Amino acid sequence: MNNKSSRRKFISTAVILTAGSTTMAETLSMKTKNNKIAHQVYFWLKNPEDRQKLIEGVNTLKKIKTVRQIHVGIVAGTEKREVIDTSWGVSLLLFFDDIAGEASYQTDPIHLDFVKNYSNLWNKVVIYDAEMV
């Protein structure tokens, strides 16, 4: 085998390996950018007797097309422990396909109407957004 042939083999092998590495890196990059998003919201009610009204309002959010799952909750009657926060009144857990879906939810007219029509019921809201890994 001469030097020209060895050099060609080396170059073609390097090109193939580089292309494969680039494709794999792009696939991994796309995967991390498209991970599902969990949007967890906790509401502290001004008046505990408004809990059902807020639950009804929260349930209107399931009509938003980018919402994949919705779970609405209230404080569970589990064992009281120092690490458990039971000061909130209503919780909302939404799942989205990706960050774009969650961003679309934020500006959706149904979400904007919910905030406009029900924000008078709470005095505090805390939100945790998590990217699924």
Side-chain angles (χ1 to χ4, degrees):
M1 197 182 261
N2 63 28
N3 281 347
K4 266 189 173 178
S5 177
S6 293
R7 199 161 108 179
R8 281 190 190 133
K9 263 190 180 176
F10 172 78
I11 291 171
S12 65
T13 302
V15 167
I16 290 169
L17 289 174
T18 302
S21 297
T22 302
T23 302
M24 188 182 303
E26 286 173 353
T27 301
L28 290 172
S29 175
M30 285 173 47
K31 186 171 178 78
T32 58
K33 289 180 184 171
N34 291 322
N35 285 352
K36 296 196 182 317
I37 299 296
H39 180 74
Q40 180 76 59
V41 184
Y42 291 92
F43 299 93
W44 280 258
L45 295 164
K46 289 180 183 176
N47 300 306
E49 59 273 4
D50 288 333
R51 183 171 76 181
Q52 191 56 42
K53 186 174 180 181
L54 181 57
I55 290 170
E56 289 168 9
V58 164
N59 275 309
T60 65
L61 300 173
K62 66 177 72 172
K63 297 175 189 167
I64 297 174
K65 68 181 177 180
T66 60
V67 170
R68 296 298 173 239
Q69 290 183 41
I70 181 171
H71 301 274
V72 182
I74 58 172
V75 174
T78 55
E79 174 187 358
K80 303 293 182 227
R81 296 184 296 145
E82 190 176 308
V83 296
I84 298 176
D85 180 1
T86 60
S87 64
W88 52 274
V90 175
S91 70
L92 167 66
L93 175 59
L94 298 171
F95 290 96
F96 301 93
D97 287 338
D98 51 27
I99 290 175
E102 194 277 339
S104 176
Y105 157 83
Q106 291 298 330
T107 58
D108 189 286
I110 296 169
H111 179 251
L112 298 176
D113 283 346
F114 165 74
V115 172
K116 178 180 156 194
N117 296 326
Y118 293 91
S119 62
N120 63 310
L121 301 180
W122 64 75
N123 58 16
K124 178 181 174 182
V125 175
V126 175
I127 299 171
Y128 299 96
D129 287 335
E131 186 173 347
M132 302 295 99
V133 293

